[in-house]
Amino acid sequence: MMNFKYYFSFLLLSVFFMACQTSSIEEVHSTLETISKTTPLTTEVQRVAMQKTSQDNIIDKTNCFMIKFPYSITVNNVNISINTSSDYQFVLNTINANSNDNDIVYIHFPITVIFQDYTEKSLANQADFNSLIAECKANTIDFGKINCLSINYPILINIYDSNNQIASAISITDNLVLFNFIDNLVDNKFISISYPITITDQNGQNVIITTNKQFEDVIKNAVDTCSENINTVLDFMQTITSNSWKISYYYNDNDRTSYYNQYVFTFKSDYTVVATKSGIIYNGTWSTKIDNGVREFRMKIDSDPLSKLDEGWEVFEFNSSQLRFRSDDGLNENDYLYFEKIN
């Protein structure tokens, strides 16, 4: 991940590389507001741009996909054609019309479903539908769409190809274009968002974004406060103490993930933590609490480089296979610490 302190000029960056090609890419970008494919902001923005799939949950009961228009259903012996999102309200009204019926929604097959990554799949019958639902439940290891934020297009993204030393720019016109653009990024390309941009938050308010950090903070707030994003199923204590973990990403001033390769972390219910590497054991403590509705996390192991992880972390999000922490210094950038479950 690159530092997010100042917005850069691609012209100056190109000149710099031409004059000093032996300089470290990390050093060059450490004072520039650039991001890459693996930067947390990049992946978070891509998740904002994902296909929304929760709007028809009253029908399909899943966030894994949405059913593509047009299609039809039957609810309490009433046939309903679903042609636009406005038809969902009629479905809800039909369900609420009588408290003495069973309110079972029958989908008329065949249908086509759209996943959060915009891919589609045809389902011929109920058996296909049930099989896909089971498959979705078994593969919930990735974090899905970040809801309750809308990017107002068009936006401009500047691109720098470090291999060819070529600067360019692209106008992004909608969510699908942005999702695919990020999906197709390669490691040698660095990008910057041309600020200011405007987003619409969950309250319908337009917010002007002028820096990467502000964008990250707005996304973090949506993850914390939007009911469509809140994780209400898993227990944090049970999750963190039931597995062994490795660090998959650590950013503090720059990407320091490689310093923690091969460390294995075990968090115990007595709030001790054991880190092991190459047969050497490092003992420490960890703690967690909820402050003003936000879960905090801290880990202390008195041995370098593990002692560097002792920050006041907040839980950004977690699931059964990933723990994502974030530390806000209140100034120019955020630090990130990601753990991944060891199978």
Side-chain angles (χ1 to χ4, degrees):
M1 177 179 180
M2 303 302 156
N3 199 349
F4 299 158
K5 291 184 178 177
Y6 315 136
Y7 183 78
F8 72 87
S9 162
F10 275 95
L11 177 59
L12 292 177
L13 183 61
S14 300
V15 171
F16 184 93
F17 269 93
M18 292 173 65
C20 188
Q21 295 183 18
T22 59
S23 296
S24 164
I25 288 176
E26 179 177 312
E27 180 181 351
V28 170
H29 287 271
S30 66
T31 58
L32 303 173
E33 191 159 339
T34 60
I35 55 180
S36 64
K37 184 176 180 67
T38 58
T39 302
L41 178 60
T42 312
T43 57
E44 291 163 13
V45 169
Q46 186 181 35
R47 290 170 57 197
V48 171
M50 282 180 169
Q51 170 69 50
K52 186 174 181 179
T53 56
S54 61
Q55 65 269 41
D56 65 345
N57 284 3
I58 193 173
I59 296 171
D60 61 19
K61 307 294 192 298
T62 181
N63 286 333
C64 183
F65 53 78
M66 67 164 286
I67 304 175
K68 185 177 181 178
F69 305 128
Y71 63 99
S72 61
I73 63 173
T74 298
V75 183
N76 301 328
N77 297 318
V78 177
N79 292 327
I80 304 173
S81 296
I82 310 295
N83 300 303
T84 69
S85 58
S86 61
D87 293 322
Y88 298 140
Q89 185 60 50
F90 184 64
V91 176
L92 181 61
N93 293 342
T94 303
I95 289 174
N96 293 334
N98 191 332
S99 60
N100 296 321
D101 46 37
N102 56 23
D103 295 331
I104 297 176
V105 176
Y106 295 96
I107 301 170
H108 299 176
F109 294 94
I111 59 172
T112 298
V113 299
I114 309 173
F115 298 96
Q116 293 183 348
D117 65 356
Y118 295 93
T119 58
E120 299 183 4
K121 184 174 183 177
S122 297
L123 304 178
N125 50 49
Q126 187 69 45
D128 287 349
F129 182 88
N130 294 343
S131 178
L132 182 58
I133 291 291
E135 181 180 335
C136 289
K137 290 180 178 179
N139 292 285
T140 55
I141 60 174
D142 293 324
F143 297 100
K145 178 177 173 59
I146 295 177
N147 292 292
C148 299
L149 289 179
S150 299
I151 300 170
N152 296 330
Y153 296 99
I155 64 173
L156 185 70
I157 294 182
N158 299 306
I159 309 164
Y160 182 76
D161 187 324
S162 62
N163 283 352
N164 301 317
Q165 299 179 12
I166 296 175
S168 60
I170 182 174
S171 177
I172 305 293
T173 55
D174 58 39
N175 281 336
L176 176 58
V177 174
L178 179 57
F179 180 90
N180 287 332
F181 170 77
I182 295 175
D183 208 45
N184 292 319
L185 272 180
V186 292
D187 292 340
N188 63 290
K189 288 189 177 180
F190 301 97
I191 65 174
S192 76
I193 300 170
S194 182
Y195 294 112
I197 66 170
T198 303
I199 66 168
T200 304
D201 65 16
Q202 64 196 77
N203 300 314
Q205 300 296 313
N206 286 336
V207 180
I208 297 175
I209 306 295
T210 59
T211 66
N212 285 344
K213 184 180 185 303
Q214 184 189 3
F215 206 171
E216 288 181 308
D217 292 345
V218 169
I219 291 173
K220 171 68 163 58
N221 182 66
V223 170
D224 286 344
T225 61
C226 173
S227 60
E228 295 178 64
N229 298 323
I230 293 174
N231 185 335
T232 59
V233 178
L234 296 178
D235 179 81
F236 178 77
M237 283 289 295
Q238 182 179 5
T239 301
I240 195 172
T241 58
S242 297
N243 307 292
S244 293
W245 306 88
K246 64 179 180 180
I247 291 178
S248 57
Y249 185 81
Y250 176 51
Y251 176 83
N252 185 329
D253 293 331
N254 53 55
D255 188 340
R256 301 175 184 269
T257 310
S258 61
Y259 299 169
Y260 300 91
N261 289 344
Q262 300 178 21
Y263 281 99
V264 176
F265 297 84
T266 302
F267 299 94
K268 299 184 178 181
S269 57
D270 62 358
Y271 295 101
T272 60
V273 57
V274 176
T276 60
K277 180 180 179 180
S278 302
I280 301 175
I281 298 175
Y282 305 89
N283 292 296
T285 60
W286 71 282
S287 61
T288 185
K289 65 178 181 179
I290 296 178
D291 186 16
N292 292 323
V294 177
R295 181 171 289 280
E296 299 178 352
F297 170 84
R298 196 142 202 160
M299 176 174 63
K300 183 176 179 61
I301 302 178
D302 293 327
S303 176
D304 285 336
L306 299 173
S307 61
K308 306 297 184 183
L309 302 175
D310 185 7
E311 289 191 45
W313 298 103
E314 294 181 352
V315 176
F316 180 65
E317 54 190 349
F318 72 98
N319 59 23
S320 60
S321 60
Q322 298 182 63
L323 309 172
R324 294 185 172 182
F325 303 107
R326 176 182 183 267
S327 178
D328 184 352
D329 66 4
L331 299 173
N332 296 315
E333 61 182 341
N334 301 305
D335 295 339
Y336 288 89
L337 175 64
Y338 292 178
F339 286 94
E340 182 177 304
K341 177 184 174 181
I342 298 176
N343 295 320

